[in-house]
Amino acid sequence: MSESRLMHRRGVLVLCVLAAGCHSGRPLLQDLSGHKDLSLFTLQSVHGLRDGDRLAALVLISDSSSILTLDLHFAIGSPTTLESGKWEWSQLSGVVAGTVAARSVTFLGGQDGPPSIGGVFDLTGADGMTYRVTLPLTVLPRQIRQQR
């Protein structure tokens, strides 16, 4: 294979890797009814704990005046699925809550490394309001064990 052809293939590979790492362009939090602009919300933290074929994750999203908390429980497998999820949104006007359904789930992580979780989740409230969270693939910090 000629050197120029090899360089071209390497360039294409680098572009593919860079494109895969780019943000999807979707906002983190969307009001599917279109009534609220939620573009100021940012991901504050994602914490979780893997226990065998189960993963519990807590996601905090905020715009500095309110906090949206997602409590997610996954069954790890092929594919990984959301077993259950609930959300609570603490706002100045009060607290609203509801259930979480997964549109897609991405899970990476073996037994020897920290797991990563991401996906697209629909949040439905008792009042019928629906929101969508697009969680980028996020590495969960390793649990710190205290020495005895």
Side-chain angles (χ1 to χ4, degrees), residues 66-122:
S66 65
I67 298 173
L68 174 62
T69 304
L70 306 180
D71 183 14
L72 307 171
H73 297 267
F74 298 94
I76 298 170
S78 183
T80 294
T81 58
L82 178 68
E83 281 190 323
S84 67
K86 59 185 178 178
W87 61 273
E88 183 175 284
W89 195 342
S90 301
Q91 305 172 23
L92 295 174
S93 59
V95 176
V96 292
T99 59
V100 179
R103 296 182 63 80
S104 66
V105 174
T106 303
F107 173 80
L108 299 175
Q111 295 293 333
D112 60 344
S116 299
I117 196 75
V120 179
F121 305 93
D122 287 344

CSV table of all heavy atoms in Angstrom, one decimal, residues 66-122:
chain,number,residue,atom,x,y,z
A,66,SER,N,-33.0,25.6,40.5
A,66,SER,CA,-33.8,24.3,40.8
A,66,SER,C,-32.9,23.1,40.5
A,66,SER,O,-31.9,23.2,39.8
A,66,SER,CB,-35.0,24.3,39.9
A,66,SER,OG,-34.7,24.2,38.5
A,67,ILE,N,-33.3,22.0,41.1
A,67,ILE,CA,-32.5,20.8,40.9
A,67,ILE,C,-33.4,19.6,40.5
A,67,ILE,O,-34.4,19.4,41.1
A,67,ILE,CB,-31.8,20.4,42.3
A,67,ILE,CG1,-30.8,21.5,42.7
A,67,ILE,CG2,-31.1,19.0,42.1
A,67,ILE,CD1,-30.2,21.2,44.1
A,68,LEU,N,-33.0,19.0,39.4
A,68,LEU,CA,-33.7,17.8,38.9
A,68,LEU,C,-32.8,16.6,39.3
A,68,LEU,O,-31.6,16.5,39.0
A,68,LEU,CB,-33.9,17.9,37.4
A,68,LEU,CG,-34.4,16.6,36.7
A,68,LEU,CD1,-35.8,16.3,37.2
A,68,LEU,CD2,-34.4,16.9,35.2
A,69,THR,N,-33.4,15.6,40.0
A,69,THR,CA,-32.7,14.4,40.5
A,69,THR,C,-33.4,13.2,39.8
A,69,THR,O,-34.6,13.0,39.8
A,69,THR,CB,-32.8,14.3,42.0
A,69,THR,OG1,-32.3,15.4,42.6
A,69,THR,CG2,-32.1,13.0,42.5
A,70,LEU,N,-32.5,12.4,39.2
A,70,LEU,CA,-33.0,11.1,38.6
A,70,LEU,C,-32.4,10.0,39.4
A,70,LEU,O,-31.2,9.9,39.7
A,70,LEU,CB,-32.5,11.0,37.1
A,70,LEU,CG,-32.8,12.1,36.1
A,70,LEU,CD1,-32.2,11.8,34.8
A,70,LEU,CD2,-34.3,12.4,36.0
A,71,ASP,N,-33.3,9.1,39.8
A,71,ASP,CA,-32.9,7.9,40.5
A,71,ASP,C,-33.1,6.7,39.6
A,71,ASP,O,-34.3,6.3,39.4
A,71,ASP,CB,-33.7,7.8,41.8
A,71,ASP,CG,-33.3,6.6,42.7
A,71,ASP,OD1,-32.3,6.0,42.4
A,71,ASP,OD2,-34.1,6.2,43.6
A,72,LEU,N,-32.1,6.1,39.0
A,72,LEU,CA,-32.2,5.1,37.9
A,72,LEU,C,-31.6,3.8,38.4
A,72,LEU,O,-30.5,3.7,39.0
A,72,LEU,CB,-31.4,5.6,36.7
A,72,LEU,CG,-31.8,7.0,36.2
A,72,LEU,CD1,-30.8,7.5,35.1
A,72,LEU,CD2,-33.2,7.1,35.7
A,73,HIS,N,-32.3,2.7,38.0
A,73,HIS,CA,-31.8,1.4,38.3
A,73,HIS,C,-31.8,0.5,37.1
A,73,HIS,O,-32.8,0.4,36.4
A,73,HIS,CB,-32.8,0.7,39.4
A,73,HIS,CG,-32.7,1.5,40.7
A,73,HIS,ND1,-31.9,1.2,41.7
A,73,HIS,CD2,-33.4,2.6,41.1
A,73,HIS,CE1,-32.1,2.0,42.7
A,73,HIS,NE2,-33.0,2.9,42.3
A,74,PHE,N,-30.6,0.0,36.7
A,74,PHE,CA,-30.4,-0.7,35.5
A,74,PHE,C,-30.1,-2.2,35.7
A,74,PHE,O,-29.5,-2.5,36.7
A,74,PHE,CB,-29.2,-0.1,34.7
A,74,PHE,CG,-29.3,1.3,34.4
A,74,PHE,CD1,-28.9,2.3,35.2
A,74,PHE,CD2,-30.0,1.7,33.2
A,74,PHE,CE1,-29.0,3.7,34.8
A,74,PHE,CE2,-30.1,3.0,32.8
A,74,PHE,CZ,-29.7,4.0,33.7
A,75,ALA,N,-30.5,-3.0,34.8
A,75,ALA,CA,-30.1,-4.4,34.7
A,75,ALA,C,-29.1,-4.5,33.6
A,75,ALA,O,-29.3,-4.2,32.4
A,75,ALA,CB,-31.3,-5.3,34.4
A,76,ILE,N,-27.9,-4.9,34.0
A,76,ILE,CA,-26.7,-4.9,33.1
A,76,ILE,C,-26.8,-6.2,32.3
A,76,ILE,O,-26.9,-7.3,32.9
A,76,ILE,CB,-25.4,-4.8,33.8
A,76,ILE,CG1,-25.3,-3.4,34.5
A,76,ILE,CG2,-24.2,-5.0,32.8
A,76,ILE,CD1,-24.2,-3.3,35.4
A,77,GLY,N,-26.8,-6.1,31.0
A,77,GLY,CA,-26.8,-7.3,30.1
A,77,GLY,C,-26.6,-6.9,28.7
A,77,GLY,O,-26.1,-5.8,28.4
A,78,SER,N,-27.1,-7.7,27.8
A,78,SER,CA,-27.0,-7.4,26.4
A,78,SER,C,-28.4,-7.5,25.8
A,78,SER,O,-28.8,-8.5,25.4
A,78,SER,CB,-26.0,-8.4,25.7
A,78,SER,OG,-25.9,-8.1,24.4
A,79,PRO,N,-29.1,-6.4,25.8
A,79,PRO,CA,-28.6,-5.0,26.1
A,79,PRO,C,-28.9,-4.7,27.6
A,79,PRO,O,-29.7,-5.3,28.2
A,79,PRO,CB,-29.5,-4.1,25.2
A,79,PRO,CG,-30.8,-4.9,25.2
A,79,PRO,CD,-30.4,-6.4,25.1
A,80,THR,N,-28.2,-3.6,28.1
A,80,THR,CA,-28.5,-3.1,29.4
A,80,THR,C,-29.9,-2.3,29.3
A,80,THR,O,-30.1,-1.6,28.4
A,80,THR,CB,-27.4,-2.2,29.8
A,80,THR,OG1,-26.2,-3.0,30.0
A,80,THR,CG2,-27.7,-1.5,31.1
A,81,THR,N,-30.7,-2.6,30.3
A,81,THR,CA,-32.0,-1.9,30.3
A,81,THR,C,-32.3,-1.2,31.6
A,81,THR,O,-31.7,-1.5,32.7
A,81,THR,CB,-33.1,-3.0,30.2
A,81,THR,OG1,-33.0,-3.9,31.2
A,81,THR,CG2,-33.0,-3.7,28.8
A,82,LEU,N,-33.2,-0.2,31.5
A,82,LEU,CA,-33.6,0.5,32.7
A,82,LEU,C,-34.7,-0.3,33.4
A,82,LEU,O,-35.7,-0.5,32.8
A,82,LEU,CB,-34.1,1.9,32.3
A,82,LEU,CG,-34.7,2.8,33.5
A,82,LEU,CD1,-33.5,3.2,34.4
A,82,LEU,CD2,-35.4,4.0,33.0
A,83,GLU,N,-34.5,-0.8,34.6
A,83,GLU,CA,-35.5,-1.6,35.3
A,83,GLU,C,-36.5,-0.7,35.9
A,83,GLU,O,-37.7,-1.0,35.9
A,83,GLU,CB,-34.8,-2.4,36.4
A,83,GLU,CG,-34.2,-3.6,35.9
A,83,GLU,CD,-33.8,-4.5,37.1
A,83,GLU,OE1,-33.4,-4.0,38.2
A,83,GLU,OE2,-33.9,-5.8,36.9
A,84,SER,N,-36.1,0.4,36.5
A,84,SER,CA,-37.0,1.4,37.1
A,84,SER,C,-36.3,2.7,37.3
A,84,SER,O,-35.1,2.8,37.3
A,84,SER,CB,-37.4,0.9,38.5
A,84,SER,OG,-36.3,0.9,39.4
A,85,GLY,N,-37.1,3.8,37.3
A,85,GLY,CA,-36.6,5.1,37.4
A,85,GLY,C,-37.6,6.1,37.9
A,85,GLY,O,-38.8,5.9,37.6
A,86,LYS,N,-37.2,7.0,38.8
A,86,LYS,CA,-38.1,8.0,39.2
A,86,LYS,C,-37.3,9.4,39.2
A,86,LYS,O,-36.1,9.4,39.2
A,86,LYS,CB,-38.7,7.7,40.6
A,86,LYS,CG,-37.7,7.5,41.7
A,86,LYS,CD,-38.4,7.1,43.0
A,86,LYS,CE,-37.4,6.9,44.0
A,86,LYS,NZ,-37.9,6.5,45.3
A,87,TRP,N,-38.1,10.5,39.1
A,87,TRP,CA,-37.4,11.8,39.2
A,87,TRP,C,-38.1,12.7,40.1
A,87,TRP,O,-39.3,12.5,40.4
A,87,TRP,CB,-37.3,12.4,37.8
A,87,TRP,CG,-38.7,12.6,37.1
A,87,TRP,CD1,-39.4,11.7,36.4
A,87,TRP,CD2,-39.5,13.8,37.1
A,87,TRP,NE1,-40.6,12.3,35.9
A,87,TRP,CE2,-40.6,13.6,36.4
A,87,TRP,CE3,-39.3,15.1,37.7
A,87,TRP,CZ2,-41.6,14.6,36.2
A,87,TRP,CZ3,-40.2,16.0,37.5
A,87,TRP,CH2,-41.4,15.8,36.7
A,88,GLU,N,-37.4,13.7,40.6
A,88,GLU,CA,-37.9,14.7,41.5
A,88,GLU,C,-37.3,16.0,41.1
A,88,GLU,O,-36.1,16.1,41.0
A,88,GLU,CB,-37.6,14.4,42.9
A,88,GLU,CG,-38.2,15.3,43.9
A,88,GLU,CD,-38.0,14.9,45.3
A,88,GLU,OE1,-38.7,14.0,45.8
A,88,GLU,OE2,-37.1,15.5,46.0
A,89,TRP,N,-38.1,17.0,40.9
A,89,TRP,CA,-37.6,18.4,40.5
A,89,TRP,C,-38.0,19.4,41.6
A,89,TRP,O,-39.2,19.7,41.8
A,89,TRP,CB,-38.3,18.7,39.2
A,89,TRP,CG,-37.6,19.9,38.5
A,89,TRP,CD1,-36.8,20.8,38.9
A,89,TRP,CD2,-37.8,20.2,37.1
A,89,TRP,NE1,-36.4,21.7,38.0
A,89,TRP,CE2,-37.0,21.3,36.8
A,89,TRP,CE3,-38.6,19.6,36.1
A,89,TRP,CZ2,-37.0,21.9,35.6
A,89,TRP,CZ3,-38.5,20.2,34.8
A,89,TRP,CH2,-37.7,21.4,34.6
A,90,SER,N,-37.0,19.8,42.3
A,90,SER,CA,-37.2,20.8,43.4
A,90,SER,C,-37.0,22.2,42.7
A,90,SER,O,-36.0,22.6,42.3
A,90,SER,CB,-36.2,20.6,44.5
A,90,SER,OG,-36.3,19.3,45.0
A,91,GLN,N,-38.2,22.9,42.7
A,91,GLN,CA,-38.2,24.3,42.1
A,91,GLN,C,-38.6,25.3,43.2
A,91,GLN,O,-39.1,24.9,44.2
A,91,GLN,CB,-39.2,24.3,40.9
A,91,GLN,CG,-38.9,23.2,39.9
A,91,GLN,CD,-40.0,23.2,38.8
A,91,GLN,OE1,-40.7,24.1,38.6
A,91,GLN,NE2,-40.1,22.0,38.2
A,92,LEU,N,-38.5,26.6,42.9
A,92,LEU,CA,-39.0,27.6,43.8
A,92,LEU,C,-40.5,27.5,44.1
A,92,LEU,O,-40.9,27.8,45.1
A,92,LEU,CB,-38.6,29.0,43.2
A,92,LEU,CG,-37.1,29.3,43.1
A,92,LEU,CD1,-36.9,30.6,42.4
A,92,LEU,CD2,-36.5,29.3,44.4
A,93,SER,N,-41.2,27.0,43.1
A,93,SER,CA,-42.7,26.9,43.2
A,93,SER,C,-43.1,25.6,43.9
A,93,SER,O,-44.3,25.4,44.1
A,93,SER,CB,-43.3,27.0,41.8
A,93,SER,OG,-42.8,26.0,41.0
A,94,GLY,N,-42.2,24.7,44.2
A,94,GLY,CA,-42.5,23.5,44.8
A,94,GLY,C,-41.8,22.3,44.2
A,94,GLY,O,-40.9,22.5,43.4
A,95,VAL,N,-42.2,21.1,44.6
A,95,VAL,CA,-41.6,19.9,44.1
A,95,VAL,C,-42.6,19.1,43.2
A,95,VAL,O,-43.7,19.0,43.5
A,95,VAL,CB,-41.1,19.0,45.3
A,95,VAL,CG1,-40.5,17.7,44.8
A,95,VAL,CG2,-40.1,19.7,46.1
A,96,VAL,N,-42.1,18.7,42.0
A,96,VAL,CA,-42.8,17.8,41.1
A,96,VAL,C,-42.0,16.6,41.0
A,96,VAL,O,-40.8,16.6,41.1
A,96,VAL,CB,-43.2,18.5,39.8
A,96,VAL,CG1,-44.1,19.7,40.0
A,96,VAL,CG2,-41.9,19.0,39.1
A,97,ALA,N,-42.7,15.5,40.7
A,97,ALA,CA,-42.1,14.2,40.6
A,97,ALA,C,-42.8,13.3,39.5
A,97,ALA,O,-43.9,13.6,39.1
A,97,ALA,CB,-42.0,13.5,41.9
A,98,GLY,N,-42.1,12.2,39.2
A,98,GLY,CA,-42.7,11.3,38.3
A,98,GLY,C,-41.9,10.1,38.0
A,98,GLY,O,-40.9,9.8,38.7
A,99,THR,N,-42.1,9.4,36.9
A,99,THR,CA,-41.4,8.2,36.5
A,99,THR,C,-40.5,8.5,35.3
A,99,THR,O,-40.7,9.4,34.5
A,99,THR,CB,-42.4,7.1,36.2
A,99,THR,OG1,-43.2,7.5,35.1
A,99,THR,CG2,-43.2,6.7,37.4
A,100,VAL,N,-39.5,7.6,35.1
A,100,VAL,CA,-38.6,7.7,34.0
A,100,VAL,C,-38.7,6.4,33.2
A,100,VAL,O,-38.8,5.3,33.7
A,100,VAL,CB,-37.1,7.7,34.6
A,100,VAL,CG1,-36.1,7.8,33.4
A,100,VAL,CG2,-36.9,8.9,35.5
A,101,ALA,N,-38.7,6.6,31.8
A,101,ALA,CA,-38.7,5.5,30.9
A,101,ALA,C,-37.5,5.8,30.0
A,101,ALA,O,-37.1,6.9,29.6
A,101,ALA,CB,-40.0,5.5,30.0
A,102,ALA,N,-36.8,4.7,29.6
A,102,ALA,CA,-35.6,4.8,28.7
A,102,ALA,C,-36.0,4.7,27.2
A,102,ALA,O,-36.7,3.8,26.9
A,102,ALA,CB,-34.6,3.7,29.1
A,103,ARG,N,-35.5,5.6,26.4
A,103,ARG,CA,-35.6,5.5,25.0
A,103,ARG,C,-34.4,4.7,24.5
A,103,ARG,O,-34.5,4.0,23.5
A,103,ARG,CB,-35.7,6.9,24.4
A,103,ARG,CG,-37.0,7.7,24.7
A,103,ARG,CD,-37.0,9.0,24.1
A,103,ARG,NE,-37.1,8.9,22.6
A,103,ARG,CZ,-38.2,8.7,21.9
A,103,ARG,NH1,-39.4,8.4,22.6
A,103,ARG,NH2,-38.2,8.7,20.6
A,104,SER,N,-33.2,5.0,25.1
A,104,SER,CA,-32.0,4.2,24.8
A,104,SER,C,-31.1,4.3,26.0
A,104,SER,O,-31.2,5.2,26.8
A,104,SER,CB,-31.3,4.9,23.6
A,104,SER,OG,-30.8,6.1,23.9
A,105,VAL,N,-30.3,3.2,26.1
A,105,VAL,CA,-29.3,3.1,27.2
A,105,VAL,C,-28.0,2.7,26.6
A,105,VAL,O,-28.0,1.8,25.8
A,105,VAL,CB,-29.8,2.1,28.3
A,105,VAL,CG1,-28.7,1.9,29.4
A,105,VAL,CG2,-31.1,2.5,28.9
A,106,THR,N,-26.9,3.3,27.1
A,106,THR,CA,-25.6,2.9,26.7
A,106,THR,C,-24.8,2.6,28.0
A,106,THR,O,-24.8,3.4,28.9
A,106,THR,CB,-24.9,4.1,26.0
A,106,THR,OG1,-25.6,4.4,24.8
A,106,THR,CG2,-23.5,3.6,25.5
A,107,PHE,N,-24.3,1.4,28.0
A,107,PHE,CA,-23.5,1.0,29.2
A,107,PHE,C,-22.1,0.5,28.7
A,107,PHE,O,-22.1,-0.3,27.8
A,107,PHE,CB,-24.2,-0.1,30.0
A,107,PHE,CG,-23.4,-0.7,31.1
A,107,PHE,CD1,-23.3,0.0,32.3
A,107,PHE,CD2,-22.7,-1.9,30.9
A,107,PHE,CE1,-22.5,-0.5,33.3
A,107,PHE,CE2,-21.9,-2.4,31.9
A,107,PHE,CZ,-21.8,-1.7,33.1
A,108,LEU,N,-21.1,0.9,29.4
A,108,LEU,CA,-19.7,0.4,29.1
A,108,LEU,C,-19.1,0.1,30.5
A,108,LEU,O,-19.3,0.9,31.4
A,108,LEU,CB,-18.9,1.4,28.4
A,108,LEU,CG,-19.3,1.8,27.0
A,108,LEU,CD1,-18.4,2.9,26.5
A,108,LEU,CD2,-19.4,0.6,26.1
A,109,GLY,N,-18.3,-0.9,30.6
A,109,GLY,CA,-17.6,-1.2,31.8
A,109,GLY,C,-17.6,-2.6,32.2
A,109,GLY,O,-18.6,-3.2,32.2
A,110,GLY,N,-16.4,-3.1,32.4
A,110,GLY,CA,-16.3,-4.5,32.8
A,110,GLY,C,-16.1,-4.6,34.3
A,110,GLY,O,-16.3,-3.6,35.1
A,111,GLN,N,-15.8,-5.8,34.7
A,111,GLN,CA,-15.6,-6.0,36.2
A,111,GLN,C,-14.4,-5.3,36.7
A,111,GLN,O,-14.4,-5.0,37.9
A,111,GLN,CB,-15.5,-7.5,36.4
A,111,GLN,CG,-16.8,-8.3,36.1
A,111,GLN,CD,-17.9,-8.0,37.0
A,111,GLN,OE1,-17.7,-7.6,38.1
A,111,GLN,NE2,-19.1,-8.1,36.5
A,112,ASP,N,-13.4,-5.0,35.9
A,112,ASP,CA,-12.2,-4.5,36.4
A,112,ASP,C,-12.1,-3.0,36.3
A,112,ASP,O,-11.1,-2.3,36.7
A,112,ASP,CB,-11.0,-5.1,35.7
A,112,ASP,CG,-11.0,-4.9,34.2
A,112,ASP,OD1,-12.0,-4.6,33.7
A,112,ASP,OD2,-9.9,-5.2,33.6
A,113,GLY,N,-13.1,-2.3,35.7
A,113,GLY,CA,-13.0,-0.9,35.5
A,113,GLY,C,-14.3,-0.2,35.9
A,113,GLY,O,-15.3,-0.9,36.1
A,114,PRO,N,-14.3,1.1,36.1
A,114,PRO,CA,-15.5,1.8,36.5
A,114,PRO,C,-16.5,1.8,35.3
A,114,PRO,O,-16.1,1.9,34.2
A,114,PRO,CB,-15.0,3.2,36.8
A,114,PRO,CG,-13.8,3.4,36.0
A,114,PRO,CD,-13.2,2.0,35.9
A,115,PRO,N,-17.8,1.6,35.7
A,115,PRO,CA,-18.8,1.6,34.6
A,115,PRO,C,-19.1,3.0,34.1
A,115,PRO,O,-18.8,4.0,34.8
A,115,PRO,CB,-20.0,1.0,35.3
A,115,PRO,CG,-19.8,1.3,36.8
A,115,PRO,CD,-18.3,1.3,37.0
A,116,SER,N,-19.6,3.1,32.9
A,116,SER,CA,-20.1,4.3,32.3
A,116,SER,C,-21.5,4.1,31.8
A,116,SER,O,-21.9,3.1,31.3
A,116,SER,CB,-19.2,4.7,31.0
A,116,SER,OG,-17.9,4.8,31.4
A,117,ILE,N,-22.3,5.1,32.0
A,117,ILE,CA,-23.7,5.0,31.7
A,117,ILE,C,-24.2,6.3,30.9
A,117,ILE,O,-23.6,7.4,31.2
A,117,ILE,CB,-24.6,4.8,32.9
A,117,ILE,CG1,-26.0,4.3,32.5
A,117,ILE,CG2,-24.7,6.0,33.8
A,117,ILE,CD1,-26.1,2.9,32.1
A,118,GLY,N,-25.1,6.2,30.0
A,118,GLY,CA,-25.6,7.3,29.3
A,118,GLY,C,-26.9,6.8,28.6
A,118,GLY,O,-27.3,5.7,28.7
A,119,GLY,N,-27.5,7.7,27.9
A,119,GLY,CA,-28.8,7.4,27.2
A,119,GLY,C,-29.7,8.5,27.1
A,119,GLY,O,-29.4,9.7,27.4
A,120,VAL,N,-30.9,8.2,26.6
A,120,VAL,CA,-32.0,9.2,26.4
A,120,VAL,C,-33.2,8.7,27.2
A,120,VAL,O,-33.6,7.5,27.1
A,120,VAL,CB,-32.4,9.3,24.9
A,120,VAL,CG1,-33.5,10.3,24.8
A,120,VAL,CG2,-31.2,9.8,24.1
A,121,PHE,N,-33.7,9.5,28.1
A,121,PHE,CA,-34.7,9.1,29.1
A,121,PHE,C,-35.9,10.1,29.0
A,121,PHE,O,-35.7,11.3,29.0
A,121,PHE,CB,-34.1,9.1,30.5
A,121,PHE,CG,-32.9,8.2,30.6
A,121,PHE,CD1,-31.6,8.7,30.4
A,121,PHE,CD2,-33.1,6.8,30.8
A,121,PHE,CE1,-30.5,7.9,30.5
A,121,PHE,CE2,-32.0,6.0,30.9
A,121,PHE,CZ,-30.7,6.5,30.8
A,122,ASP,N,-37.1,9.6,29.0
A,122,ASP,CA,-38.3,10.4,29.1
A,122,ASP,C,-38.8,10.4,30.5
A,122,ASP,O,-39.0,9.4,31.1
A,122,ASP,CB,-39.4,9.9,28.1
A,122,ASP,CG,-39.0,10.2,26.7
A,122,ASP,OD1,-38.2,11.0,26.4
A,122,ASP,OD2,-39.6,9.5,25.8
